[in-house]
Amino acid sequence: MNTAEVLDLYDRADIYEAIYRGRGKDYAAESAVTVRAVLDRKPDATSLLDVACGTGSHLRYFSERFTHVEGVDLSEDMVRTARTKVPGVPIHQGDMRDLRLERSFSAVTCMFSSVGYLATAAELDAALRSFARHLTPGGVAVVEPWWSPDTFLPGYVAGDVVEVDGRTISRVSHTVRHEERCASRMEVHYVVAEPDHGIQHFTDTHVMTLFTREQYEHAFRAAGLSVEFVPYDQAGPGLFVGVLGADR
């Protein structure tokens, strides 16, 4: 086996899709919770924009509940994969900090703790302004946060081995506090074995900001959104949910 190559997992949508499908990530249940959060606050919601949509796994279910859905992701490979996974759904390449689409939506969602990749509170504020800019009056923003300084577990180790589409993939991770900022630093090693290409070993590092609850709430309110925290029934960081204009 060769020395591990350093890669960005978001440029390997095939591995990303396979590992989370194999690990049993319940996109259907997560989507149902998110849809309910939207419809409880806006029963007449008909459209949704999923920001940082990844491979489109949540969009697949959102499209069953809303008349019109679209997605946006920063990664070109994720956009390409999502367009294949949810054909007919517009998928855009763009940065959540400064989206400029040509329409507004009843709801904007940002799942899988993607906001954790924002480096500063100012970037978080910019992202929420961007979400609000794409909402209709009374529209709903739903954000799944990353862990906070109070809930983060330093030294956390996880591991999985899955078999998907003829490939065996192992994933092990170790997460520590970032030494220079209020963030987590997760190093992940993947070993991928497949009949035609043998064994590949690569590493991937994720630095994600540990925003406080107050920073999330400030970002929502500064964007003209109300804000409430909705805890998950199962393990997970919960959801921040806001309605445009509710505090105005």
Side-chain angles (χ1 to χ4, degrees):
M1 184 170 63
N2 295 327
T3 302
E5 182 180 0
V6 178
L7 292 176
D8 184 339
L9 182 63
Y10 298 116
D11 292 331
R12 286 295 307 270
D14 60 325
I15 300 298
Y16 175 98
E17 172 75 6
I19 193 70
Y20 285 109
R21 180 151 51 99
R23 292 174 75 189
K25 183 171 173 61
D26 198 342
Y27 291 101
E30 294 170 2
S31 299
V33 170
T34 305
V35 167
R36 179 48 52 198
V38 171
L39 296 181
D40 282 350
R41 293 157 182 81
K42 190 172 177 57
D44 62 346
T46 59
S47 58
L48 180 146
L49 173 67
D50 190 25
V51 179
C53 67
T55 59
S57 294
H58 289 112
L59 270 174
R60 171 188 169 192
Y61 297 100
F62 292 151
S63 67
E64 297 173 356
R65 301 299 301 271
F66 298 97
T67 304
H68 181 83
V69 298
E70 298 188 22
V72 61
D73 201 278
L74 186 61
S75 163
E76 181 179 353
D77 202 38
M78 292 291 183
V79 168
R80 182 166 48 249
T81 301
R83 285 172 177 165
T84 300
K85 188 164 191 172
V86 282
V89 172
I91 309 292
H92 313 275
Q93 187 174 9
D95 189 321
M96 71 171 72
R97 294 166 292 188
D98 188 27
L99 294 178
R100 300 285 175 177
L101 303 184
E102 298 300 321
R103 63 163 295 164
S104 54
F105 302 81
S106 305
V108 174
T109 58
C110 186
M111 305 295 292
F112 213 175
S113 303
S114 299
V115 293
Y117 290 103
L118 300 171
T120 65
E123 290 189 1
L124 181 63
D125 291 348
L128 266 295
R129 288 196 300 271
S130 184
F131 299 170
R133 189 164 56 241
H134 290 82
L135 286 172
T136 58
V140 182
V142 181
V143 173
E144 182 178 32
W146 181 233
W147 302 107
S148 70
D150 295 334
T151 59
F152 171 67
L153 297 176
Y156 184 78
V157 173
D160 296 277
V161 178
V162 303
E163 295 184 18
V164 178
D165 298 332
R167 293 188 291 193
T168 297
I169 305 172
S170 70
R171 175 192 185 275
V172 294
S173 65
H174 177 232
T175 307
V176 297
R177 285 189 182 272
H178 195 280
E179 295 181 355
E180 299 175 1
R181 47 182 273 218
C182 187
S184 61
R185 183 183 185 278
M186 177 170 60
E187 182 177 342
V188 189
H189 284 244
Y190 293 88
V191 176
V192 182
E194 50 192 330
D196 295 334
H197 301 289
I199 298 174
Q200 306 170 66
H201 177 201
F202 66 90
T203 66
D204 187 31
T205 300
H206 300 261
V207 176
M208 301 178 71
T209 304
L210 300 170
F211 292 116
T212 65
R213 179 166 177 167
E214 290 74 22
Q215 287 173 315
Y216 282 109
E217 291 175 345
H218 175 272
F220 271 78
R221 293 191 178 110
L225 296 152
S226 67
V227 60
E228 61 181 301
F229 179 72
V230 180
Y232 279 147
D233 292 334
Q234 67 276 16
L239 297 173
F240 284 99
V241 185
V243 179
L244 182 65
D247 287 347
R248 291 181 176 177

